[in-house]
Amino acid sequence: MLRFERALSALSLTAVCALSACAVDTGPSEAEADPPEASEDVAGARAPLVRVNANWFWPDGKVPYCFDADFPPAWVPTVHSAIENMERRLPIDFTHVRCDAGQDDYVRFIQGFGDTGGESEDTGWDEGEQDITIFSVPSESLVTHEMLHALGMYHEQSRSDREKYVTINWACIDSDKDHNYDTKSNTFTSGVYDYESIMHYRTGAWCASTPPAWCNVPDGSGTACATIVKKDGSLIGRNTVMSREDINSMYYMYSEPFPVADGDYAGVSVAVGDFDGDGYADVATGLPFKAVNGAGAAGEVRVYKGTSRGLYPWQTITQGDIGWVSRVNDRFGWTMAAADIDKDGRAELIVGAPYEAVDGLANAGAVAVLRPDDAGKLQAFRTYTQKTQGLGVVRANSYFGYGLAAGDFGRARTASGAIDPAWGLALAISAPGEASSRGAVYLFGQTNPTSGSPKHRTQRITGSANGDQFGFALAIGNVDDDTELELVVGSPYASSAHGQVDVFNGAAPAAASNLSAPMVTHWESVAAPEAATRNFGASLAVANFREDGPDEIAIGAPGTQNSTGAVYIFRKELVFADPNAFHLKQTILQNGAQEPGDEFGFALVAANVEPSTTQHELIIGAPGENDRAGAISVFRGGIANLQALQILQQSDITGATAQPFSRFGYALAAGSINGMGDSDVTSDQFNQHVGNPLRHIPDVVVGSPSIDSFSLFRGNHTVGLVGHAKH
């Protein structure tokens, strides 16, 4: 009924990794010893010098650890706690074992004497027993630091390119310890230089006993010994927890590929959002035909972690993770969206299962919202059906969850009249099959979980006529250039499949005593602009494509001209004696050969992928192009009309080919997955520019469900999109 190698992370890598060059077996005063702690904090921070040879990674990321018989029992809980925290954040499976349990490879914690701090016998897996020596009462940060050595990380300031980022003041360093500041010459360096790493030395590490007077520099609470400082002369502090680059480095090293998808329709939906709040957007893709526990087409969702060097497998989510039962043909993951619903700086994942049976009614549909914990792992948060908050009744064949959108509308005021900050983003969830495919859209607003007893706002909007499939597509944006957002709803089968789009005005925030007030009100119905237009409203995007004025509405009509397809740009304008608010500003046809069956306009996404100006680009999917191999087109925003910039296929990714029947371009999503890239960037610069579109450029994810994949294209300052990887 409805439509149907590992890449480099932010690391320095050992280019040559013979055992003698990479394994470290030294005393506490030698190369891989760590300075004594101060105030329970390890002196160092991060280490991205890792063995490029995977033979030196712990097999399958499994790391047994044990305690020597003489290891102080009072220190054991600290070690356990540190390792449990690492396991929550890293793709590592730690197991506590007895040292004499017969395992071949393991880390042994032993007590050392005659020093403070700790050391790791080896950097990376070295077969057999390898020791971490603790010389004094440990902190969790010390244990974490030493365990990261054992997992394969050297110190950050050992990078061969460190001279661009730090200054080493050799005169300030103890001459017996200065070899600790040597670089690793046999390394290949790439990635964000990370002052925040738990493997980076702090200013003052290994200070000489009587340094020159000029070494003593102010540190805000006294003086510090300027052994190592940032290139601008500022000090490097103690880092007591793993940084984002530490964590991402471990995913480069140890993440395992997801099982091969085969006929699961991976890529039928994609969503991009920063689930762990690290500044790199992550990617979720639905596999709605994945069998789960023997239930065919029950569906699952896979989440990939965004890093400076690409995407790495991270999480798998099934209905069991949200308290549902995986049943045949639920197709969990058929639709998805990502948005920071609770406004805490980390995105939630919204997952639609429009074929889910509810109360025994087939294809009624349901939606789950998953919220990240402090490690970014997505957990059950809220679920929705047609009867949530008493808004409607469950009906068979409604396909509730087929359209998903979130936006900051439907807010309310406090008793004093101020806008209440406790309200999160509102959800719009469509059920285009409801009431003989008349269709409906359900709106849900709710206060955030930290604001006390929850308050709710709801509204149900229905379509005009049977068969319209009102709600097939949804979008939210500021098309009126005022303080409230508008809801845009597509009905691609209205008017004998010519299609229609309806615009709803976002209502002003409701009074605290009137939460039942409408969240939106109908503004205008926009009809298909041409007699040949078909399926107008099958896809929608709202964005500022010009530098002035309100957002515009991009409307896909993939059935136009025997499914050649077209996209129409509408804008709110006041025209004398014209009662309509929205007027056609541009008709976009494919910037290549226009052929029946291309389905140009099947999917749309707007993103500022070329941020030399402030307007957005429009990316358009044509999954029927070239015998359904598929293509995407990029149109550059500007003061006047959008201009053709690129047409891209799978073959624009190195090593990939454009395969027939791939349906490349079926689904689209955008976000800054790569952050600022990996060239000459420090963690300070990264932090300063989070959210800055001139530096954190959006990337675009393109689904190809017929071959169970999606592709990543990176935004670029000057050339639009550049093919990066196929997943």
Side-chain angles (χ1 to χ4, degrees), residues 630-695:
I632 62 170
S633 296
V634 182
F635 284 78
R636 176 189 283 137
I639 296 176
N641 286 343
L642 286 86
Q643 302 294 322
L645 177 62
Q646 294 173 290
I647 184 166
L648 300 167
Q649 299 178 323
Q650 294 174 80
S651 54
D652 288 294
I653 295 174
T654 301
T657 59
Q659 303 176 47
F661 307 106
S662 298
R663 303 285 284 164
F664 174 81
Y666 186 98
L668 297 170
S672 183
I673 296 163
N674 187 40
M676 294 173 67
D678 65 338
S679 301
D680 299 324
V681 175
T682 69
S683 53
D684 287 352
Q685 292 168 322
F686 188 101
N687 294 336
Q688 291 166 6
H689 292 286
V690 169
N692 181 348
L694 296 180
R695 296 305 302 272

Side-chain angles (χ1 to χ4, degrees), residues 64-121:
Y65 71 97
C66 67
F67 299 98
D68 181 70
D70 295 326
F71 193 78
W75 298 1
V76 169
T78 300
V79 175
H80 281 318
S81 180
I83 289 176
E84 287 168 6
N85 183 58
M86 294 179 73
E87 189 165 40
R88 290 183 62 240
R89 288 167 167 77
L90 305 179
I92 303 296
D93 182 11
F94 292 103
T95 305
H96 178 214
V97 297
R98 292 171 53 92
C99 294
D100 58 359
Q103 60 276 346
D104 293 330
D105 309 312
Y106 57 96
V107 171
R108 182 179 65 159
F109 283 87
I110 64 174
Q111 182 180 16
F113 300 92
D115 211 329
T116 57
E119 67 168 350
S120 176
E121 178 182 14

Side-chain angles (χ1 to χ4, degrees), residues 320-506:
D321 295 311
I322 53 176
W324 296 352
V325 176
S326 293
R327 297 185 176 93
V328 173
N329 287 328
D330 284 345
R331 302 186 198 178
F332 179 74
W334 185 268
T335 54
M336 286 192 301
D340 185 8
I341 294 173
D342 58 4
K343 301 180 181 179
D344 68 348
R346 296 175 300 163
E348 279 69 49
L349 180 63
I350 311 158
V351 182
Y355 296 86
E356 179 97 14
V358 179
D359 294 343
L361 298 173
N363 304 323
V367 170
V369 178
L370 296 106
R371 185 183 188 217
D373 63 15
D374 63 347
K377 300 297 178 67
L378 291 160
Q379 311 287 331
F381 182 36
R382 296 172 182 158
T383 58
Y384 298 88
T385 66
Q386 291 162 287
K387 65 181 180 180
T388 298
Q389 297 299 317
L391 193 52
V393 296
V394 176
R395 304 183 188 190
N397 301 318
S398 293
Y399 303 97
F400 177 85
Y402 194 83
L404 302 169
D408 203 5
F409 66 96
R411 298 173 296 172
R413 298 185 183 276
T414 64
S416 66
I419 294 178
D420 190 345
W423 288 83
L425 301 186
L427 283 184
I429 303 174
S430 73
E434 184 173 304
S436 300
S437 294
R438 177 181 297 262
V441 174
Y442 292 72
L443 307 181
F444 298 95
Q446 184 170 331
T447 50
N448 290 323
T450 57
S451 60
S453 299
K455 301 174 184 177
H456 300 272
R457 297 191 68 192
T458 58
Q459 185 175 352
R460 178 173 170 266
I461 312 165
T462 59
S464 301
N466 293 349
D468 285 359
Q469 295 193 21
F470 175 80
F472 191 92
L474 301 173
I476 296 171
N478 191 356
V479 301
D480 195 22
D481 208 17
D482 61 6
T483 59
E484 303 303 324
L485 301 180
E486 282 70 49
L487 171 68
V488 185
V489 182
S491 304
Y493 293 95
S495 303
S496 301
H498 287 282
Q500 176 177 301
V501 168
D502 288 274
V503 183
F504 293 81
N505 242 327

Side-chain angles (χ1 to χ4, degrees), residues 547-568:
E547 292 188 56
D548 63 323
D551 289 349
E552 296 174 298
I553 307 173
I555 304 172
T560 298
Q561 295 287 7
N562 295 318
S563 296
T564 299
V567 174
Y568 301 92

